[in-house]
Amino acid sequence: MIPITPQILFFLETMLFASVVFMHIAKKNSGVIFLYAAQSLIIAIALFYSSLKEASLLLVVAAVATFLVKVIIVPYFFSGLIKKHRLQFSVSTYLNTPMTLIVLALLTAFSYSHFFGPLTILAPDKENALSLAIAMVLISIFLIINRKGALSQMVGILSLENAIVSFAYVAGLETTAGLQVGILFDIFIWVVIASVFASMIYRHFGSLNVSVLKHLKEE
Amino acid sequence: MFNTLISSNIFFLSLLLWIAGAVGALVLSKNDRLANWWGNSFAILGSCVGLLFSLSVLIIGSTFSFNIDSTLPLLSLSFSVDKLSAFFIFLISLIALLASIYALGYVKHYYKKYNIGALGFFYNIFLAGMVMVVSAHNALFFLIVWEIMSLASYFLVIYENKEKENVQAGSLYFIMTHVGTAFITLAFLLLYRSTGSLDFGVIKETIGNSSPLIADTVFILALIGFGTKAGIIPFHIWLPNAHPAAPSHVSALMSGVMIKTGIYMFIRMFMDMLPDAPLWWGVVILILGAISSLFGVLYALTEHDIKRLLAYHSIENIGIILLGLGSSLVFWSLDMKPLAVLSLVAALFHTLNHAIFKALLFLGAGSVISQTHTRNMEEYGGLIKYMPQTALFFLAGSMAISALPPLNGFFSEWMTFQSLFSGIMASNVPVRWVFILAAGSLAFTGGLAAMCFVKAFGVTFLARPRSENVRHARESGFALRVGMAVLAALTLVIGFTAGSITNAVSGVVSDLSAFNSSEPAFFSTIQTVGMRNGFASISMPLILASLIVTMALTFFAVYLVSRNRKTKIGRTWDCGTTLGPRMEITATGFSNSIVTIFRGALKPTKQTSIEYRDEDMRYFQKSSTVELGIQDIYNRYFYQPVHMLTIKASEYMKRIQSGNINMYVLYILAILIALLFASGM
């Protein structure tokens, strides 16, 4: 088998990182979901490779389950939501694109700073890939902050989960197959519940713009 | 070993019976009568077994420890019952037994109004919770059972939830009890930080290596935390509202027993777990005891709600117990262990006595309320004709709480006086003044308590009925009378056998490691209890005998003098007007002189409102109303400013609560980055 060198890992991490950056720029909801599916596919491939390397059937099951849940089922659910409520275009963001890109640059620079030094010690030869994974975590959180649409926020949360998985993978903090399947089950249930909530928000307010939820607050 | 095995099995059997009572009552909640019988029968059974268990520990000395490690770190289901725990289990079981017998009849008036199953459930859980509190041996486990006890009692306070004021009283109790729990948790966390363990035994062995500052901080935190539960001033504000709100048999348990769990933890922490107490700990407790006893009785005097009056007397009696406990800590710090034993015996004896007479008074008040449907004493009067036996039992409780011989309250107050007088004689000048003030406060409290119960008994049972409800009152049911009669008998029996009981309580004190080899400063035989230095001695049987002989002689003399006289019956001269209840002295009128004397502390208020027949002319009054009240100075000068400050802070914090999800996630990110910066620096 071809060994995964730090360069290959960095390349995969760059692709994941790029997917989150493009999520920030994408205007169409279908584009955001496609980027999430692509991001998840990279994660599933990495896990599948790891399972073959370990020659573990359970890990293969976990990788296949990751593929099924994250690449097929979740995008399918979200696509259904878009079709049902005709949500082709994402609702607005708080910052415009140039400002968003500046914040992304700052967050990426921050993730390369000495504050994350103790974390990069986990795998000194993959320092760049780890820093990029941390940047992906921060940028995913920022996606939740910056977007007003519930769908984008849900994708932001799932992207954050992918970022954490990728960090753990690069740092060599791989979990057991049972735990991975458990997490996937949690994600699946969460997506179902979040979709129901999104539908309820749409029915009540006629929009998936979460800023309208502030009207629920006691004045 | 065999005794210990049996003893531990009996202990768990009592817990099991209470749990069975709780679950069964809930299952049978659709049938009020069955739920009542099931819940209270199992409470009675559990209490009987609890009594048996505690007596086996107190008499045979079969103490035991039991430990099950849980999967959670630091938590273990750890029980340890020594003589001190057994003493409190005895107290809980005794009052629970009689309150539960009473409840069999009392709960009937809730049928078809409230859920009897829920009452049985929380009542049994409350009993089990209290017993587990005084036997827990691990701080985390203790906090869990403490919370079980507090929550069960909260649900009992709001049991009559159709009354808005009960729900409000419950909310105040809920907040205050959790404020207290927060302080207790902090105290335990500090102990854990110093000793690395939450096990009481390990803490006791290793806390000696910690700095005195740690012990002092734990003392302050525990004093506030457990003091809130005990109802000491100024942490008492929940007590006069919560105790009256609960059903009367629960009030009896809350006032008679639950608040004593705070006293138990004071003794356990300050005299068993923590190292040698510095002098100021005892002085602080003495001062708090003096304030609580004096102000408790003053507030009680101004009350005309019978249950609130009794609740304030609980604060007063907790103050008296603290006088004993504080004296004991002072003597211990001055290395006068014989006097420390005397003071602690006085405190524990008064704990026992207060549980009995306060339970009796609450049960008596409950009987009166169930017949008159009001807690307002101004609407009572003349109940002795309608409820003669209840009146007799209430009189016994009133005499006991007023410390009149030969009843039990007299003896424990006498012992407390002896410890305070010993403090005056034995300590240095600044501390001597604290003892002098404490003794003065106790003397004053005793007088005011007697006055208060002259009012309570007189206004309730004597003279003429002040409302129609009184005329329809009937004597309490059999179960109610049994509960009250046994308690009334106990006030006399414990007073009569005070010497023997002093020996038993002395055994509890000498079981504590601090007093293992200490000879007490007093001697006690069946007939006499006295100070070894000859300062004072007392014989309760002799007092009883003297009273009986005096009464017999008086009756005989009166008979001799009046045997040849004819009895004439005629109307009382009343200036030609019709005799009516308005001619009787009221509860408010009775206490008016005291309110006037203490107006600086009680801050009386008077609000007059007049309604005119013609609002424009204002010559002819239609009606006028005068509302008299007093202000709780702690409420006004401490709790209200704190409340205002909290409201202001909450208003400020509300600005952060924008209701926008994006903002909330931004807060998370900002905090994350700030923490990273902080850790990086």
Side-chain angles (χ1 to χ4, degrees):
Chain A
M1 286 183 76
I2 306 163
I4 291 193
T5 59
Q7 286 75 19
I8 294 174
L9 265 180
F10 183 68
F11 174 71
L12 288 175
E13 204 57 58
T14 309
M15 302 249 286
L16 290 170
F17 176 76
S19 69
V20 196
V21 174
F22 282 120
M23 280 181 191
H24 273 276
I25 302 166
K27 296 290 177 199
K28 279 189 172 181
N29 277 327
S30 54
V32 175
I33 290 162
F34 171 76
L35 285 165
Y36 172 70
Q39 189 188 74
S40 302
L41 183 64
I42 296 168
I43 297 279
I45 290 169
L47 290 175
F48 188 68
Y49 176 83
S50 182
S51 66
L52 290 180
K53 197 175 153 193
E54 297 287 326
S56 162
L57 186 64
L58 280 172
L59 281 173
V60 172
V61 171
V64 171
T66 304
F67 177 79
L68 286 173
V69 172
K70 291 185 176 177
V71 184
I72 297 180
I73 297 173
V74 172
Y76 173 77
F77 257 95
F78 286 160
S79 301
L81 211 61
I82 291 170
K83 277 182 193 161
K84 190 176 170 189
H85 302 306
R86 297 188 187 126
L87 303 166
Q88 273 76 15
F89 291 93
S90 170
V91 280
S92 59
T93 55
Y94 282 99
L95 298 179
N96 58 25
T97 309
M99 281 303 290
T100 303
L101 289 173
I102 289 169
V103 174
L104 297 192
L106 287 173
L107 287 173
T108 310
F110 180 59
S111 64
Y112 272 87
S113 69
H114 74 279
F115 292 109
F116 291 97
L119 288 177
T120 50
I121 293 167
L122 288 168
D125 54 330
K126 300 162 195 163
E127 194 179 336
N128 280 329
L130 276 176
S131 296
L132 220 49
I134 293 165
M136 193 180 156
V137 169
L138 297 177
I139 291 172
S140 296
I141 295 175
F142 185 63
L143 183 71
I144 306 166
I145 295 167
N146 195 30
R147 293 263 172 161
K148 291 181 182 173
L151 197 72
S152 308
Q153 289 189 332
M154 284 151 71
V155 173
I157 290 166
L158 292 170
S159 170
L160 175 63
E161 193 269 335
N162 271 347
I164 293 166
V165 172
S166 77
F167 177 85
Y169 184 80
V170 176
L173 306 169
E174 287 164 54
T175 54
T176 59
L179 189 62
Q180 284 185 35
V181 173
I183 293 168
L184 281 169
F185 181 72
D186 283 353
I187 291 169
F188 174 68
I189 297 296
W190 181 82
V191 167
V192 172
I193 294 169
S195 303
V196 172
F197 267 114
S199 291
M200 286 170 73
I201 292 169
Y202 189 84
R203 267 205 301 276
H204 194 81
F205 295 103
S207 162
L208 275 187
N209 185 342
V210 290
S211 61
V212 296
L213 294 182
K214 69 181 174 191
H215 297 302
L216 294 172
K217 196 175 70 133
E218 197 180 330
E219 295 298 333
Chain B
M1 177 69 191
F2 183 67
N3 284 339
T4 303
L5 197 66
I6 292 176
S7 168
S8 63
N9 284 338
I10 299 174
F11 174 75
F12 288 111
L13 178 64
S14 67
L15 291 182
L16 207 66
L17 284 166
W18 281 319
I19 291 166
V23 176
L26 210 56
V27 170
L28 297 168
S29 60
K30 287 198 172 168
N31 186 324
D32 287 350
R33 204 170 64 85
L34 270 179
N36 179 20
W37 271 95
W38 183 281
N40 285 312
S41 301
F42 273 84
I44 290 167
L45 282 174
S47 307
C48 288
V49 176
L51 270 178
L52 194 70
F53 161 74
S54 54
L55 285 173
S56 79
V57 176
L58 288 170
I59 295 166
I60 307 168
S62 51
T63 56
F64 83 95
S65 295
F66 183 84
N67 189 56
I68 305 173
D69 286 325
S70 77
T71 49
L72 291 170
L74 301 175
L75 174 66
S76 62
L77 304 176
S78 182
F79 294 96
S80 178
V81 180
D82 57 4
K83 283 194 173 178
L84 182 67
S85 299
F87 175 80
F88 280 88
I89 294 172
F90 173 79
L91 215 65
I92 294 164
S93 305
L94 178 68
I95 304 302
L97 172 65
L98 298 166
S100 306
I101 293 171
Y102 177 94
L104 278 172
Y106 180 78
V107 170
K108 284 177 186 170
H109 83 272
Y110 290 123
Y111 286 2
K112 304 217 184 303
K113 288 185 202 161
Y114 291 101
N115 188 335
I116 306 297
L119 178 62
F121 175 78
F122 289 118
Y123 181 68
N124 279 282
I125 294 292
F126 177 49
L127 297 180
M130 283 194 292
V131 165
M132 287 194 285
V133 160
V134 296
S135 53
H137 202 59
N138 173 285
L140 199 56
F141 178 58
F142 173 86
L143 285 172
I144 292 169
V145 291
W146 182 263
E147 196 61 17
I148 289 172
M149 177 184 79
S150 300
L151 284 178
S153 55
Y154 163 71
F155 284 110
L156 291 168
V157 167
I158 60 161
Y159 179 67
E160 291 178 45
N161 53 26
K162 289 173 192 165
E163 307 289 331
K164 196 180 167 190
E165 62 182 29
N166 290 352
V167 178
Q168 284 172 343
S171 302
L172 181 63
Y173 172 48
F174 187 84
I175 292 165
M176 286 304 291
T177 197
H178 283 92
V179 168
T181 307
F183 279 96
I184 296 165
T185 309
L186 278 174
F188 284 144
L189 285 174
L190 207 58
L191 286 173
Y192 175 70
R193 193 165 168 263
S194 307
T195 61
S197 175
L198 287 173
D199 184 89
F200 287 174
V202 177
I203 291 171
K204 184 180 167 180
E205 281 166 20
T206 51
I207 189 70
N209 304 327
S210 307
S211 75
L213 185 67
I214 299 281
D216 290 346
T217 314
V218 169
F219 168 75
I220 293 166
L221 292 170
L223 186 66
I224 298 171
F226 295 117
T228 306
K229 183 62 83 184
I232 60 175
I233 287 177
F235 316 115
H236 67 289
I237 55 158
W238 63 272
L239 199 148
N241 295 319
H243 286 201
S248 289
H249 63 293
V250 177
S251 305
L253 276 163
M254 286 179 79
S255 221
V257 186
M258 186 190 76
I259 57 173
K260 309 289 170 42
T261 55
I263 298 293
Y264 164 79
M265 281 310 289
F266 279 168
I267 299 172
R268 178 66 73 204
M269 286 195 79
F270 306 154
M271 308 193 87
D272 192 32
M273 277 163 67
L274 294 178
D276 294 349
L279 182 65
W280 71 270
W281 289 12
V283 172
V284 166
I285 291 185
L286 260 177
I287 292 169
L288 284 175
I291 293 171
S292 297
S293 59
L294 192 57
F295 278 82
V297 74
L298 275 176
Y299 285 123
L301 256 166
T302 62
E303 273 301 331
H304 53 81
D305 176 325
I306 192 165
K307 283 178 89 177
R308 276 177 68 89
L309 179 147
L310 295 177
Y312 273 121
H313 272 289
S314 295
I315 298 171
E316 173 225 327
N317 281 281
I318 284 290
I320 296 172
I321 294 166
L322 289 186
L323 289 178
L325 184 60
S327 308
S328 184
L329 278 166
V330 169
F331 292 132
W332 189 25
S333 68
L334 296 172
D335 204 25
M336 298 175 180
K337 286 191 176 173
L339 288 174
V341 173
L342 164 75
S343 305
L344 194 56
V345 168
L348 286 176
F349 209 131
H350 198 71
T351 304
L352 169 71
N353 288 345
H354 176 247
I356 289 167
F357 56 65
K358 186 46 65 65
L360 170 58
L361 288 166
F362 263 113
L363 298 187
S367 299
V368 169
I369 294 164
S370 70
Q371 292 297 316
T372 57
H373 312 293
T374 176
R375 297 197 321 231
N376 186 0
M377 290 197 298
E378 310 289 24
E379 294 180 36
Y380 297 159
L383 275 165
I384 197 166
K385 288 178 194 163
Y386 305 92
M387 307 174 79
Q389 292 180 40
T390 304
L392 177 69
F393 303 142
F394 195 90
L395 181 65
S398 302
M399 286 172 66
I401 199 170
S402 305
L404 296 182
L407 302 180
N408 59 351
F410 167 76
F411 182 77
S412 50
E413 286 202 23
W414 181 86
M415 277 203 103
T416 311
F417 268 120
Q418 295 315 311
S419 60
L420 294 176
F421 292 155
S422 303
I424 294 168
M425 289 187 285
S427 53
N428 56 23
V429 174
V431 180
R432 182 176 297 161
W433 271 106
V434 178
F435 276 106
I436 290 171
L437 289 173
S441 156
L442 182 58
F444 208 39
T445 302
L448 290 176
M451 182 181 176
C452 191
F453 276 92
V454 167
K455 173 185 107 170
F457 185 80
V459 171
T460 306
F461 292 101
L462 303 182
R464 291 184 162 215
R466 292 191 186 84
S467 69
E468 204 51 40
N469 283 337
V470 173
R471 294 182 211 283
H472 297 129
R474 294 281 174 273
E475 183 55 272
S476 317
F478 179 71
L480 281 75
R481 278 179 286 148
V482 168
M484 290 187 285
V486 176
L487 284 165
L490 279 175
T491 59
L492 186 64
V493 171
I494 290 179
F496 179 71
T497 58
S500 310
I501 293 170
T502 303
N503 279 333
V505 178
S506 193
V508 173
V509 173
S510 59
D511 191 50
L512 291 171
S513 54
F515 304 118
N516 264 343
S517 54
S518 302
E519 192 72 16
F522 61 90
F523 66 92
S524 65
T525 60
I526 294 172
Q527 294 91 11
T528 315
V529 178
M531 299 296 290
R532 283 192 193 280
N533 61 8
F535 178 73
S537 66
I538 194 167
S539 170
M540 293 300 282
L542 193 66
I543 289 177
L544 182 64
S546 314
L547 280 169
I548 291 170
V549 169
T550 311
M551 280 166 70
L553 285 174
T554 310
F555 275 114
F556 186 64
V558 170
Y559 171 75
L560 277 182
V561 172
S562 62
R563 63 182 166 168
N564 294 326
R565 287 184 185 173
K566 286 180 182 175
T567 306
K568 282 185 182 176
I569 297 174
R571 280 176 63 87
T572 309
W573 187 74
D574 50 0
C575 302
T577 58
T578 312
L579 269 179
R582 291 187 70 174
M583 292 174 182
E584 297 170 28
I585 188 161
T586 60
T588 310
F590 192 93
S591 55
N592 199 33
S593 54
I594 287 291
V595 173
T596 310
I597 294 166
F598 289 97
R599 62 179 175 274
L602 295 173
K603 306 269 178 202
T605 58
K606 184 177 178 182
Q607 198 176 353
T608 311
S609 57
I610 301 171
E611 196 184 344
Y612 293 97
R613 290 188 188 279
D614 187 331
E615 279 300 316
D616 296 326
M617 281 177 63
R618 293 190 164 219
Y619 283 126
F620 303 106
Q621 283 185 14
K622 188 177 178 184
S623 65
S624 63
T625 316
V626 178
E627 273 185 50
L628 301 173
I630 57 153
Q631 293 173 22
D632 192 329
I633 51 170
Y634 305 97
N635 221 352
R636 187 176 175 186
Y637 297 112
F638 180 67
Y639 288 102
Q640 279 183 12
V642 169
H643 179 246
M644 291 300 293
L645 209 66
T646 312
I647 295 288
K648 276 190 180 169
S650 304
E651 288 289 336
Y652 185 74
M653 292 300 285
K654 207 174 164 185
R655 293 180 200 168
I656 301 172
Q657 296 276 12
S658 62
N660 187 327
I661 295 170
N662 305 69
M663 284 303 290
Y664 297 143
V665 184
L666 181 64
Y667 297 153
I668 295 170
L669 184 65
I671 295 289
L672 178 70
I673 290 172
L675 286 174
L676 282 166
F677 267 107
S679 64
M681 283 171 193

